[in-house]
Amino acid sequence: MPHRYELSNRQWNRIQHLFPDLKHDHHAGRPWKPHRRLLNGILWRLHSGAPWRDVPLRYGPWKTVYDRFRRWRLDGTWMDILTYLLDHLDKHGRLGHDLWCVDASIIRATRAAGGAEKKPDLEPWLLGPKTRQFMEPPEHALGYSRGGFGTKVHLLIETHGIPVGIYLTGGERHECKAFAPLMNQVLLSRHPDHPFWPRKMAGDKGYSYPEVRGWLKRHKIQAVIPTRKDQPTDPNFDKATYRRRNLIERVVGWFKECRALGTRYEKLAVNYLALWIVAMIDKLLKRRL
């Protein structure tokens, strides 16, 4: 009987071909331990938020579980799986290009998240397709804001609430400063037979800045962003569409139910981002559109 958080046979069968061959494609080397069991251990840790050392032994030694999580971050496996699932939905017309929503959420970091080496000899990366790689930022995406010490997660979702972009900064970083980097790392692949960008983009007043509106105008995307008090009122502001923006706030809440996301325990931003990628994969495998 499967335990809580584990993938079903149907869910595992959808992605098992994307993991490295257990026997290294008949090359030299000790065979890998079963991927599925270790993946279930990673999912257990993602949802429970417990330290890696507390991963139950039924998934194997905790060090093996953590090392596999880290290896799949380094070789691009996590990003390849997420891209595969998103592209499958997009090719079958299940991703919306009518309205995308953008928002940022501050995640409190514990004391355990601090103390990472500031200038390591080898910079940590989260690898994948070229436009979706993420290098460890100098301050590990940690900083002080009104909410305290933490990380700001910048999220982009499509019409149905499926994340199509994510970017990390320190907690003090303003939303508008991370908008362009977020848009430059959209997780979808470009297909010539249908549009890539949405018709409209919704964001709160934190995105009402010339650089954001200019970027949207250059890409022929209608901005659904209310003006701030110190700005002239926009007579063409689409209030009806803006009411749909609350979807992204609900999406952030759903992901924060994963305790390893709702509070940051990871010292490295690339590890914390990889956990978000794993959570997105988990949601897509369990979602029915």
Side-chain angles (χ1 to χ4, degrees):
M1 181 178 178
H3 294 272
R4 193 178 184 188
Y5 311 133
E6 296 181 0
L7 297 181
S8 66
N9 290 333
R10 181 186 65 82
Q11 293 160 353
W12 169 246
N13 289 336
R14 289 186 62 190
I15 61 173
Q16 63 173 329
H17 66 284
L18 298 170
F19 288 92
D21 182 71
L22 289 175
K23 296 184 178 179
H24 307 281
D25 295 316
H26 304 291
H27 291 91
R30 181 179 298 178
W32 296 110
K33 295 185 182 298
H35 295 319
R36 183 176 180 179
R37 183 178 65 172
L38 297 173
L39 175 57
N40 284 331
I42 294 168
L43 291 174
W44 182 91
R45 197 270 167 171
L46 167 72
H47 287 277
S48 69
W52 286 102
R53 291 176 180 271
D54 292 343
V55 173
L57 283 175
R58 63 176 176 267
Y59 300 118
W62 74 267
K63 189 69 165 55
T64 304
V65 176
Y66 172 75
D67 285 346
R68 197 66 58 89
F69 164 77
R70 181 177 175 274
R71 179 181 292 273
W72 289 338
R73 185 205 88 209
L74 288 169
D75 65 12
T77 297
W78 292 129
M79 194 62 76
D80 288 343
I81 295 172
L82 179 60
T83 301
Y84 168 80
L85 294 173
L86 288 174
D87 285 350
H88 177 79
L89 291 176
D90 204 18
K91 289 177 183 178
H92 290 79
R94 295 184 179 181
L95 290 184
H97 290 268
D98 173 45
L99 174 69
W100 288 5
C101 301
V102 61
D103 201 4
S105 180
I106 294 178
I107 307 295
R108 291 293 298 272
T110 66
R111 183 175 58 181
E117 189 176 353
K118 290 188 179 295
K119 294 182 179 180
D121 295 333
L122 185 62
E123 290 287 352
W125 282 80
L126 188 153
L127 294 182
K130 188 174 181 180
T131 59
R132 299 154 208 165
Q133 298 177 359
F134 186 85
M135 185 178 73
E136 184 72 15
E139 300 300 327
H140 307 291
L142 290 167
Y144 287 91
S145 67
R146 293 180 182 178
F149 183 60
T151 295
K152 185 170 284 188
V153 177
H154 305 264
L155 201 63
L156 179 69
I157 67 167
E158 53 78 70
T159 310
H160 304 98
I162 297 174
V164 293
I166 185 171
Y167 190 72
L168 302 184
T169 64
E172 80 288 352
R173 189 77 167 174
H174 197 278
E175 286 88 336
C176 71
K177 299 299 183 182
F179 180 78
L182 171 65
M183 302 306 292
N184 289 335
Q185 290 188 307
V186 172
L187 302 169
L188 302 179
S189 299
R190 294 178 182 268
H191 301 288
D193 55 340
H194 60 74
F196 180 75
W197 296 113
R199 292 195 307 109
K200 301 178 181 179
M201 179 79 70
D204 60 22
K205 295 180 180 180
Y207 294 93
S208 185
Y209 285 85
E211 53 264 49
V212 175
R213 294 184 182 275
W215 191 98
L216 295 174
K217 185 176 181 179
R218 289 193 299 274
H219 290 78
K220 300 179 181 179
I221 302 172
Q222 179 183 340
V224 186
I225 303 172
T227 54
R228 305 193 313 272
K229 291 182 179 180
D230 60 345
Q231 295 176 326
T233 303
D234 181 5
N236 299 318
F237 177 62
D238 190 347
K239 292 183 179 180
T241 299
Y242 185 72
R243 293 190 186 99
R244 296 163 55 189
R245 193 198 68 85
N246 72 87
L247 176 60
I248 191 169
E249 297 177 354
R250 287 181 277 148
V251 169
V252 171
W254 296 337
F255 277 101
K256 284 184 178 180
E257 291 177 1
C258 299
R259 294 186 176 183
L261 302 185
T263 303
R264 176 174 167 178
Y265 302 98
E266 308 299 320
K267 291 184 182 297
L268 296 180
V270 288
N271 279 344
Y272 183 60
L273 181 57
L275 285 173
W276 274 86
I277 300 299
V278 174
M280 293 178 191
I281 293 170
D282 188 38
K283 293 282 187 183
L284 288 173
L285 290 174
K286 295 176 180 177
R287 180 172 185 142
R288 295 182 181 273
L289 288 177

